Amino acid sequence: MDGGDLRLPRAPGVIRRFWARHPRITDVVLVLLIGSTCFDGAAGPDGADWGDPRFLWGLPFVLVATAGVLFHRTRPFVTLGASWVGVVAWAWAPSAFVLAAAVFAVYIIPVRRPGPAVWWATGVTVALACAAALLSDRHTPLVTQYPGLLLEVVPITLALLVATLVGTNVGNRRRYLSALVDRAHQLARERDQQALLAAAGERARIAREMHDVVSHSLTVMVALAEGAAVAAATSPERATMAMGQVADTGRTALTDMRRMLGVLGGDERASLAPQPSLAELPALVRQFADLGLPVTAQVRGTAPGDPALQLTIYRVVQEALTNSMRYARTPTAVTVTVDAEADPIVVTVEDDGRGPADAPSVGAGRGLLGLTERVAALGGEFRSGPRARGWRVSASLPAGSDR
């Protein structure tokens, strides 16, 4: 297989592939073969002479039986009925070759239309063929003789039964191969769909990480830069310190960006880089407090052992404090509570400033949507909304096996 594509084996044989690609030519050849045997049987040495009136009477029947072969792909029972008409010609010009259309009909029925109808179609065909043979002029004296009866009935019955069994085997094999091919195509489609879903999920995860890094870092850098601009005239030392913090925040953001880009590029060392955990939560809170946000934090209980759970708690607090910094107007208190004493773990961030409930947000809501997806991936529940004054963010995360 090239490029991961599903490649099915080709049908064996140049001739078989040619017939499969040109079904109309195949049908014409079948009509010619079956028609020639029927005409030969009807006008041969054992049958009527070409100028015999019996041949002229039987000719339309043979033509109908031959024309019915053209319908074998879409209407096999029409082919069967036409072959019955041809069997009647046997009463005028009896010959084993006249059975060619009937033999083909009982063969094609199980190939095209499997089911109980196969055997009653064969039974009716056998009965008609035997009756036509035994009632013909040439064989009328043999009807009263047991050996003659066997000579007529047994070969006819065996020929039609063998044709039915061969058709059943060919039809079953075709349907089995068709089911295998359909299954292979279905598996290929499912594989492609799974790849698309995995790619979409990975893009969503990267978008969440990018948002967390960029939004948080830029918010901090903008706040520090604004503070440095205000303090530049009155307190150059504080302005210099603030710009140093801007540089540190930018370097941290660049490090996080390189790590994510390394993961995208397949760098295993980047994928093993440590992610933020609850151990960095005090530094995060202190960073926002240094920016002037009146934030306090309380962590109850022990930190869960699952790194993904710790990262989610960290991201919830980070996004909530970033939104408070960007949107809350003159807040007097911002509280962060992480209750890890019970299961589920509850994370709550509240502020009392005027926020999106009082003024339209300049954001796109991607951060809160990303938190909702991140928390849901761990089986938790995320909620956010306005309070009587301010905004509240909360997440409930199952501790699971960490307890």
Side-chain angles (χ1 to χ4, degrees):
M1 292 185 292
D2 299 331
D5 294 334
L6 177 67
R7 296 191 182 276
L8 298 173
R10 294 197 310 172
V14 177
I15 297 178
R16 289 178 61 182
R17 292 200 299 270
F18 174 82
W19 295 131
R21 289 195 302 266
H22 303 87
R24 295 302 178 189
I25 297 178
T26 306
D27 293 345
V28 171
V29 172
L30 280 174
V31 168
L32 293 176
L33 289 175
I34 294 175
S36 65
T37 58
C38 288
F39 279 114
D40 181 70
D46 296 329
D49 186 76
W50 284 94
D52 193 306
R54 292 181 303 167
F55 173 76
L56 297 178
W57 280 104
L59 180 60
F61 295 89
V62 175
L63 290 175
V64 171
T66 304
V69 176
L70 295 173
F71 299 92
H72 75 93
R73 296 184 185 276
T74 56
R75 295 177 175 86
F77 286 102
V78 173
T79 302
L80 178 66
S83 72
W84 290 348
V85 174
V87 168
V88 178
W90 210 356
W92 282 271
S95 172
F97 291 106
V98 182
L99 278 178
V103 170
F104 178 78
V106 296
Y107 161 81
I108 207 63
I109 289 292
V111 173
R112 307 294 185 195
R113 297 288 189 272
V118 170
W119 295 107
W120 70 254
T122 302
V124 172
T125 306
V126 168
L128 288 176
C130 292
L134 296 175
L135 294 177
S136 64
D137 293 339
R138 189 170 66 87
H139 294 90
T140 301
L142 298 178
V143 175
T144 59
Q145 302 177 17
Y146 183 73
L149 183 64
L150 291 179
L151 288 175
E152 293 297 330
V153 172
V154 173
I156 294 172
T157 305
L158 287 178
L160 294 173
L161 285 178
V162 168
T164 303
L165 293 175
V166 172
T168 301
N169 182 62
V170 172
N172 289 339
R173 181 172 177 79
R174 283 188 178 183
R175 285 181 285 276
Y176 176 72
L177 292 177
S178 177
L180 288 180
V181 172
D182 290 342
R183 179 58 177 164
H185 285 304
Q186 181 182 358
L187 290 175
R189 288 192 296 269
E190 291 177 356
R191 178 200 62 189
D192 295 340
Q193 291 172 356
Q194 291 296 330
L196 291 175
L197 291 175
E202 186 65 14
R203 285 196 298 268
R205 186 187 70 82
I206 293 170
R208 289 195 299 266
E209 293 291 337
M210 292 283 289
H211 177 273
D212 291 339
V213 172
V214 173
S215 177
H216 167 69
S217 300
L218 289 181
T219 298
V220 172
M221 292 169 69
V222 168
L224 288 171
E226 289 177 346
V230 172
T234 58
S235 180
E237 295 82 4
R238 292 183 58 189
T240 302
M241 184 181 300
M243 293 308 298
Q245 291 178 342
V246 170
D248 292 338
T249 303
R251 279 191 289 270
T252 302
L254 286 175
T255 300
D256 291 339
M257 290 287 291
R258 290 193 189 99
R259 176 179 56 80
M260 283 185 288
L261 293 175
V263 172
L264 288 176
D267 189 351
E268 295 183 358
R269 293 175 299 176
S271 62
L272 297 176
Q275 293 274 28
S277 63
L278 287 183
E280 284 79 30
L281 193 60
L284 177 68
V285 173
R286 187 164 54 251
Q287 184 183 46
F288 279 97
D290 292 340
L291 295 175
L293 192 68
V295 56
T296 58
Q298 182 181 13
V299 179
R300 295 193 293 267
T302 57
D306 187 359
L309 195 55
Q310 292 196 41
L311 175 62
T312 300
I313 295 173
Y314 181 92
R315 293 303 190 195
V316 169
V317 175
Q318 182 187 52
E319 178 66 22
L321 293 180
T322 300
N323 288 342
S324 295
M325 172 67 70
R326 295 177 64 185
Y327 304 125
R329 299 183 180 181
T330 63
T332 60
V334 179
T335 59
V336 177
T337 304
V338 179
D339 186 1
E341 291 181 338
D343 188 1
I345 299 173
V346 179
V347 183
T348 306
V349 180
E350 298 177 334
D351 66 65
D352 60 356
R354 291 179 298 165
D358 306 296
S361 170
V362 297
R366 186 184 299 275
L368 296 179
L369 179 60
L371 288 181
T372 302
E373 296 174 351
R374 188 190 292 272
V375 172
L378 296 179
E381 183 180 358
F382 178 80
R383 296 178 298 275
S384 65
R387 306 166 58 207
R389 177 179 174 83
W391 195 263
R392 184 175 189 269
V393 171
S394 66
S396 176
L397 295 161
S401 60
D402 291 314
R403 292 288 175 234

